[in-house]
Amino acid sequence: MSTVVTSKDASVAPLPPGRPSWRARLQGPAVFTAVAVLALVVAPLVLEPFRLGLLAKYLVYAIVALGIGLAWGQGGMLVLGQGVFFGLGGYAMGMYLKLTEAQGGLPDFMVWSGVEELPALWAPFANPVFALAMAVVAPVVVAALLGALVFRQRVRGAYFAILTQALAAAFVILLVGQQGLTGGTNGLTNFFELFGQDLALDSTQRGLYFVVAVVLGLLYLGARQLVNSRFGRLLVAVRDGEDRVRFLGYNPATVKTVTFAISAGMAGLAGALFVPVVGIISPALLGVVPSLELVVAVAVGGRFALAGAVLGAVVMNYAKTVFSEELSSAWLYLQGALFILVMTLAPKGIIGLLRRRKEAAG
Amino acid sequence: MSGDDTGAEALLEIRDLSVVFDGFRALDGVNLTLARGELRFLIGPNGAGKTTLIDVITGLTRPAGGSVRFGGKDLVGRKEHEIVRLGVGRTFQTSVVFEELTVVENLDLAASFRRPLWALAGRRRGVSEAVRAALATTGLEELAERPARVLSHGQRQWLEIGMLIAQRPSLLLLDEPVAGMSQDERARTGELLTEIAEDHTVIVVEHDMDFLRRYASQVTVLHEGRVLTEGSVDDVSADPRVQEVYLGRAREEATDAVG
Ligand SMILES: Nc1ncnc2c1ncn2[C@@H]1O[C@H](COP(=O)(O)OP(=O)(O)OP(=O)(O)O)[C@@H](O)[C@H]1O
Ligand SMILES: [Mg+2]
């Protein structure tokens, strides 16, 4: 056998330190606090409203990325269709906004497409609590059902990835096809106010920015807690040896379904936040390509660390803005090239490179 | 069931078990009864069906026919994790541990499977009694906080055995626990086995005759999917059919080594 290593060899080999030192342990919270101060104090002070709005959008995407980091980086599930859950959340919010504006009447686009009566599906979304709850509950339920179905059948790896991608494609077709119900290709747009606040005002947008940043921060802490829990260890075990985990007495299908549902819930919440921040939700924002772009961003940032996922989403979306302003057509290729480069040369992404540099230095 | 007479009530009863892979009979009418508290060695040349037998008991392979009863429950058709939950644990011929997790985390996961899923959402604080015991039995205390990837081959096998003990199963199935180990490690593992067998029911797959003579009492010999014979080590090793099977194999190995 080629894997045989005698215990003598192992005792000679330098072993990495066991428990991290206090300094190392405080480093995480220190970085988190620094980033929080940067996001909550510095950014709102130095960025003009337009740029702050863009940052809010990046942070919304970072929430989706966090879910991808959890499902893919920790759980090994390559989720290529998070746009579906993002969309469910976005449309739930969009429907609520449209209905408040219609003030008991029909939303504008329905009038244009000749719909005469409010569809039954829409009616409950006039209630903001219901709409917000559905933004999270609907994605969680869809993901849980899908997960329960496919993970039980031991669908995994590339098959699962393709399945989620197909779901995103099908979702777009469904949305575009139901013009009267969903606004078709145009989606839902022309929002003017949220909970009585004028969405065009800088102060409203600034407030939204704070909400997004705080939600991201809380979700990050929650996700970290989960990753460090026994469940998190189990998730990594499922990622690295699903078949072995069965013989520890756990059902990997359940572990994966729960995680997939959590990541879907995050995407849904992000979708709901995206709508007032950006002012539109449409099929083009949640199809195969946007779903894929976020996975690329997570890979670039570093999928094995939650912070990497967040970082990747912000960096890549910022890069996208810059390149779209300069040379938009090159962006797609650059993105693809970057993805290949990262996957082959630095599978742990930017975070991995940063950590390696620090280790080399210290 | 009246299981109160002696310790000799059957814990595992395998009847007429057959496994077919693409027309090839890997197991062909195997019968095996194991009393509670017994330590049984399962031997046989390469391809005899030893691993296949363990695979069937643990739900990894579906039999073509026959039954596997464990503590009065039929195991055939149950999922792997359900069988573990009934109290059957196993190790693998090529050990599989979770390299990204530390030794203690590997053991802790193995020990925690009876907790409800939501209870796993908490952080592990300290080391549970089952994990502590497994660490002590396998002598891996010093390495507890190391990631499993730094372990040597022998240490990995011990960790796997430790994970098995931490599960607190009533039946342990060990597939070639000393394969690839040095002489020292074999001796340590042998002692470990004897220790475990004191309060567990154990099946050990092994075809190293020296190891067998030293640590085995009851032996079942598998050959080409069938039970060739069963009995004490002395009886079995004196059996001409067993010698034939093993001498044949020894001769093959000798030619392999030359060629
Ligand atoms: N999944 C499978 N598909 C087809 N044939 C298989 C499969 N698993 C095992 N076999 C065959 O069944 C026979 C018994 O295999 P098994 O692994 O049970 O032998 P073993 O006694 O454990 O041998 P070894 O000592 O080499 O581990 C072998 O001939 C093997 O090639
Ligand atoms: Mg085998």
Side-chain angles (χ1 to χ4, degrees):
Chain A
M1 230 186 283
S2 59
T3 53
V4 177
V5 184
T6 66
S7 48
K8 264 190 200 132
D9 290 341
S11 59
V12 171
L15 295 172
R19 286 200 171 284
S21 68
W22 275 109
R23 244 183 88 188
R25 275 203 225 181
L26 281 178
Q27 205 153 39
V31 172
F32 180 83
T33 311
V35 172
V37 168
L38 215 61
L40 293 177
V41 181
V42 181
L45 281 178
V46 301
L47 293 181
E48 51 189 287
F50 172 68
R51 294 280 158 195
L52 194 67
L54 284 178
L55 184 56
K57 184 169 84 170
Y58 305 156
L59 295 187
V60 165
Y61 282 132
I63 296 176
V64 188
L66 193 61
I68 296 175
L70 208 57
W72 183 35
Q74 302 294 314
M77 292 169 273
L78 182 48
V79 283
L80 295 182
Q82 292 303 84
V84 172
F85 308 121
F86 184 79
L88 286 172
Y91 275 88
M93 184 59 135
M95 284 156 81
Y96 162 68
L97 293 182
K98 282 268 112 181
L99 286 175
T100 29
E101 262 144 40
Q103 291 175 342
L106 277 182
D108 48 13
F109 75 90
M110 285 190 189
V111 179
W112 302 332
S113 14
V115 176
E116 272 153 21
E117 203 181 331
L118 191 69
L121 177 69
W122 273 69
F125 284 88
N127 181 330
V129 177
F130 179 84
L132 262 178
M134 281 315 276
V136 178
V137 172
V140 166
V141 169
V142 170
L145 287 178
L146 185 72
L149 215 67
V150 303
F151 295 137
R152 199 164 303 273
Q153 299 302 319
R154 305 193 180 176
V155 174
R156 55 180 148 179
Y159 297 99
F160 174 73
I162 291 167
L163 191 88
T164 56
Q165 187 164 65
L167 197 70
F171 189 52
V172 167
I173 294 171
L174 186 80
L175 288 172
V176 172
Q178 300 291 318
Q179 173 82 33
L181 201 61
T182 64
T185 328
N186 299 330
L188 304 179
T189 185
N190 296 327
F191 307 118
F192 300 104
E193 59 167 67
L194 169 69
F195 304 138
Q197 304 296 311
D198 187 345
L199 281 172
L201 285 181
D202 285 349
S203 61
T204 310
Q205 284 302 326
R206 176 181 291 257
L208 275 170
Y209 168 82
F210 279 112
V211 170
V212 171
V214 168
V215 167
L216 173 62
L218 291 178
L219 287 177
Y220 174 79
L221 290 177
R224 240 190 92 80
Q225 180 63 32
L226 194 69
V227 165
N228 288 328
S229 71
R230 277 202 174 98
F231 185 88
R233 308 286 80 199
L234 182 56
L235 188 58
V236 167
V238 168
R239 177 192 75 194
D240 294 344
E242 180 169 345
D243 294 321
R244 182 69 181 88
V245 166
R246 296 180 211 287
F247 293 99
L248 292 186
Y250 300 97
N251 188 356
T254 314
V255 178
K256 290 168 91 172
T257 303
V258 168
T259 309
F260 184 41
I262 292 174
S263 83
M266 288 186 177
L269 187 56
L273 292 169
F274 181 87
V275 170
V277 167
V278 180
I280 183 172
I281 186 76
S282 74
L285 292 165
L286 46 88
V288 170
V289 173
S291 301
L292 215 55
E293 276 183 332
L294 273 174
V295 171
V296 171
V298 169
V300 170
R303 70 187 142 120
F304 297 115
L306 294 175
V310 171
L311 183 70
V314 174
V315 167
M316 289 298 274
N317 279 292
Y318 173 69
K320 186 180 179 177
T321 308
V322 172
F323 276 89
S324 309
E325 282 168 5
E326 311 289 329
L327 51 158
S328 64
S329 60
W331 172 240
L332 201 65
Y333 299 103
L334 195 74
Q335 205 173 200
L338 205 58
F339 181 62
I340 293 169
L341 220 63
V342 165
M343 291 309 267
T344 52
L345 295 180
K348 289 184 178 169
I350 299 175
I351 284 276
L353 292 177
L354 289 177
R355 285 193 182 153
R356 208 160 66 190
R357 261 192 59 183
K358 215 178 63 200
E359 268 163 32
Chain B
M1 279 188 51
S2 61
D4 55 351
D5 37 23
T6 55
E9 119 207 39
L11 181 65
L12 183 72
E13 268 193 282
I14 294 173
R15 289 283 160 268
D16 239 359
L17 197 68
S18 315
V19 169
V20 180
F21 293 121
D22 306 320
F24 169 72
R25 282 196 169 269
L27 289 183
D28 191 6
V30 169
N31 289 300
L32 184 82
T33 305
L34 202 69
R36 202 177 284 275
E38 198 177 332
L39 167 64
R40 177 76 62 95
F41 274 68
L42 189 61
I43 67 168
N46 291 111
K50 306 179 296 290
T51 299
T52 305
L53 183 58
I54 289 192
D55 286 349
V56 174
I57 299 171
T58 56
L60 195 57
T61 299
R62 289 282 142 98
S67 70
V68 179
R69 292 185 76 76
F70 168 75
K73 293 198 178 77
D74 198 346
L75 295 188
V76 174
R78 290 184 200 255
K79 294 214 176 88
E80 297 95 321
H81 69 274
E82 292 168 352
I83 294 175
V84 174
R85 284 171 176 269
L86 289 177
V88 181
R90 74 173 288 179
T91 62
F92 289 83
Q93 198 164 339
T94 45
S95 65
V96 202
V97 296
F98 299 105
E99 306 209 332
E100 296 295 310
L101 308 185
T102 63
V103 168
V104 74
E105 283 170 344
N106 269 283
L107 292 169
D108 182 73
L109 267 193
S112 302
F113 74 95
R114 292 198 189 278
R115 294 170 196 253
L117 202 62
W118 55 262
L120 299 178
R123 226 178 248 240
R124 174 177 63 84
R125 308 219 178 270
V127 175
S128 71
E129 198 39 56
V131 173
R132 198 185 307 279
L135 274 175
T137 313
T138 54
L140 290 171
E141 287 120 323
E142 304 256 291
L143 295 160
E145 298 294 338
R146 302 255 187 263
R149 80 180 101 88
V150 309
L151 298 186
S152 72
H153 174 75
Q155 290 165 338
R156 275 169 197 242
Q157 303 274 76
W158 292 332
L159 175 54
E160 252 212 310
I161 296 173
M163 287 161 77
L164 189 55
I165 302 171
Q167 288 181 320
R168 299 185 191 257
S170 37
L171 174 64
L172 286 77
L173 310 168
L174 298 147
D175 198 353
E176 304 203 21
V178 300
M181 279 189 178
S182 67
Q183 275 310 322
D184 284 0
E185 290 172 330
R186 274 167 194 255
R188 272 251 332 108
T189 310
E191 284 158 27
L192 184 59
L193 268 182
T194 321
E195 203 180 316
I196 293 169
E198 275 168 19
D199 45 10
H200 292 92
T201 312
V202 186
I203 296 181
V204 185
V205 170
E206 193 46 70
H207 50 199
D208 180 80
M209 274 300 193
D210 283 339
F211 188 79
L212 216 68
R213 283 197 197 94
R214 201 163 302 173
Y215 302 102
S217 53
Q218 286 301 110
V219 181
T220 297
V221 186
L222 269 189
H223 178 51
E224 292 178 349
R226 291 167 171 275
V227 176
L228 192 66
T229 180
E230 221 166 50
S232 71
V233 190
D234 293 335
D235 291 352
V236 163
S237 46
D239 190 320
R241 289 173 303 168
V242 177
Q243 286 173 358
E244 167 65 31
V245 168
Y246 268 89
L247 283 179
R249 183 171 151 265
R251 231 178 282 132
E252 272 166 36
E253 275 184 3
T255 45
D256 278 357
V258 172

